[in-house]
């Protein structure tokens, strides 16, 4: 079987979200759930810049070992006025001590845990229509009261 070249990843933008304390829904039939409200934020890149409209949420499932599975929906507004829906699913995991530090809202060095998401964008903007037609990945970082992502386009 022939292997293809490794896909190129191109930086899209950095995203910073300011978040509230989580609402702990508790253990439901779907798992140990909590909901984290996104208060605001911004994104910066060479092709796309703007703010995060307050009101998005991350519906987190916490697995038995402390790993979190994200299901987030937020709304972006570019500086030129385009509205862009952003959803993403992701995983944050690491050893139990690191996960406990993150749970206590402590800063942990990025190389001590895995935090990757797959953003999907949706917009009616002709200028940013290409966002509807690409695959993206993001490297996340949890900070006290904030979450940062560096988002990349996969392929050219």
């Amino acid at each position: 079987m022939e292997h293809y070249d490794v896909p190129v990843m191109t930086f899209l933008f950095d995203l910073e979200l300011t978040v509230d304390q989580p609402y702990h829904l508790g253990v439901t039939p779907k798992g140990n759930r909590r909901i984290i409200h996104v208060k605001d934020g911004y994104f910066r890149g060479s092709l796309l810049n703007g703010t995060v409209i307050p009101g998005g949420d991350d519906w987190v499932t916490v697995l038995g070992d402390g790993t979190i599975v994200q299901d987030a929906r937020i709304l972006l507004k570019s500086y030129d006025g385009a509205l862009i829906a952003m959803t993403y699913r992701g995983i944050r995991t690491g050893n139990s001590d690191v996960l406990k530090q993150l749970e206590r809202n402590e800063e942990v060095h990025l190389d001590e845990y895995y935090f990757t998401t797959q953003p999907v964008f949706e917009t009616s903007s002709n200028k940013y229509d290409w966002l509807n037609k690409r695959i993206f990945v993001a490297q996340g970082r949890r900070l006290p009261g904030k979450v940062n992502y560096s988002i990349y386009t996969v392929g050219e």
Side-chain angles (χ1 to χ4, degrees), residues 8-27:
V8 174
M9 297 213 327
T10 305
F11 175 74
L12 178 62
F13 59 70
D14 284 324
L15 170 69
E16 180 167 293
L17 303 175
T18 305
V19 296
D20 279 330
Q21 292 296 315
Y23 293 96
H24 292 275
L25 191 58
V27 179

Side-chain angles (χ1 to χ4, degrees), residues 20-148:
D20 279 330
Q21 292 296 315
Y23 293 96
H24 292 275
L25 191 58
V27 179
T28 74
K30 299 202 182 253
N32 186 355
R33 303 283 286 193
R34 65 180 179 216
I35 296 134
I36 302 169
H37 180 72
V38 176
K39 295 192 315 192
D40 60 20
Y42 64 88
F43 55 100
R44 305 280 184 278
S46 61
L47 298 176
L48 193 55
N49 297 280
T51 59
V52 178
I53 303 294
D57 293 302
D58 188 356
W59 288 59
V60 171
T61 303
V62 183
L63 305 181
D65 67 355
T67 295
I68 67 162
V69 178
Q70 296 179 283
D71 182 6
R73 288 165 177 74
I74 62 174
L75 182 61
L76 309 178
K77 184 174 184 179
S78 68
Y79 284 144
D80 57 5
L83 292 175
I84 303 164
M86 178 181 171
T87 62
Y88 56 93
R89 294 188 56 83
I91 294 177
R92 188 182 78 201
T93 192
N95 73 46
S96 62
D97 290 336
V98 167
L99 294 178
K100 287 175 186 169
Q101 286 178 281
L102 292 168
E103 282 299 312
R104 292 190 301 264
N105 207 22
E106 295 174 11
E107 188 168 348
V108 177
H109 196 274
L110 184 57
D111 64 5
E112 294 187 55
Y113 59 103
Y114 178 90
F115 188 6
T116 303
T117 69
Q118 183 185 9
V120 175
F121 298 99
E122 183 178 351
T123 184
S124 62
S125 165
N126 289 332
K127 180 176 181 180
Y128 300 114
D129 181 58
W130 55 272
L131 288 168
N132 296 314
K133 302 170 183 171
R134 298 287 185 271
I135 300 290
F136 301 90
V137 295
Q139 174 69 49
R141 181 173 185 195
R142 184 71 168 97
L143 299 168
K146 297 178 190 258
V147 183
N148 290 352

